Amino acid sequence: MNILGIETSCDETAAAVVRDGRYILANVVASQVDIHSRYGGIVPEVASRQHILSCIPILHSAIQQANLIFSDIDAIAVTNGPGLAGSLMVGVNLAKAISLAHRLPLIGVNHLEAHIYANWLQVNQTPYNEPELPAMCLIVSGGHTDIVLVKGHGEYDILGRTRDDAAGEAFDKVSRLLDLGYPGGPAIEKATAGIDSSLFNLPRAWLRGSYDFSFSGLKTAVLHIVRQQVKAEGKKSRVEIAAAFQQAVIDILVTKTILAARRNHIRQIHVVGGVAANTLLRRTFLKESPFPVIIPIPQLCTDNAAMVAACGYYRFNRGLTSDLSLDAVSNMTLT
Ligand code: KG4
Ligand code: ZN
């Protein structure tokens, strides 16, 4: 079964074709980073206008890359939430138009659930190891930091979430404070390679007794240090602060996810979402976890449409198709 996936929830216009929820035939992502970087963050109105310009060419290049024609496509999966309302609307309306024109089933997909399904995609010719459930899944992106018990396909218990900033959002804000670039996650990762993270002692909000997260205190602590120190010492201390910040975020994410995993009957830990592309986070999980850990390759951690198509396949198999009344729901939750 060939599913065409469409993703426009944030600042990536993406289309992909995935066969049987697993084999990537095409995966095209047009990032708007260059457009938004001059503002230091995503400007929603600019994002939706850019999606309108990019979506048709991206769609055609995905079909072409897959070496298919429209009659080879069996269903369309599209992210319809959560995300930026205007951006989601572009993808949803495009998907509806294709569904109507080619008489194809339409599948509305939750962006967070799509991130989980990135782990179901096969990469290159490596042997396919199907992810095992139940799993403890950390969804860590620009808008979310959730610890989710994935009991089975479509069966989720959210055990913890952030009470303020998401981890990716904290990376982006701290990078801006330290003037290291945008988006903050990759900028901080690059700037801190080989830098000692122990030179600044930053607070960690453990929120003991809860699986929730809080990153705003950490961000404020960075702000105070920047005001006191960076002016005096310049760039060297900026990357040292960034390294200490990255280490603090990773300590919290890894420790809490492993704790949740130990206290529930699970077979694997899954780590997904844009921040899961972070090399130190990946390494730390693999080193510290007593459970098998699976993390998509970095390109499938950040927003893409292959994960949307994979998720759509499993939703289709559960009979979860949508009709043309499908709407964009910007604050959609996983459950
Ligand atoms: O999943 P994603 O692409 O979009 C959302 O659904 O939000 O995640 C984007 C977030 C951004 O905040 C970005 O700074 C962060 O993921 N990110 C990273 C890395 N790559 C992307 N954070 C840390 N290290 C990275 N290598
Ligand atoms: Zn995302």
Side-chain angles (χ1 to χ4, degrees), residues 92-115:
V92 168
N93 283 312
L94 175 67
K96 282 189 199 177
I98 304 168
S99 157
L100 189 64
H102 295 276
R103 295 178 208 282
L104 291 171
L106 178 66
I107 311 157
V109 166
N110 180 310
H111 182 80
L112 300 171
E113 190 177 19
H115 271 300

Side-chain angles (χ1 to χ4, degrees), residues 111 115 141-143 168-169 171-172 183-186 189 273-275 277-278 301-303:
H111 182 80
H115 271 300
S141 70
E169 188 183 358
F171 267 98
D172 295 335
E189 170 162 7
V275 182
N278 185 278
C301 289
T302 48
D303 286 352

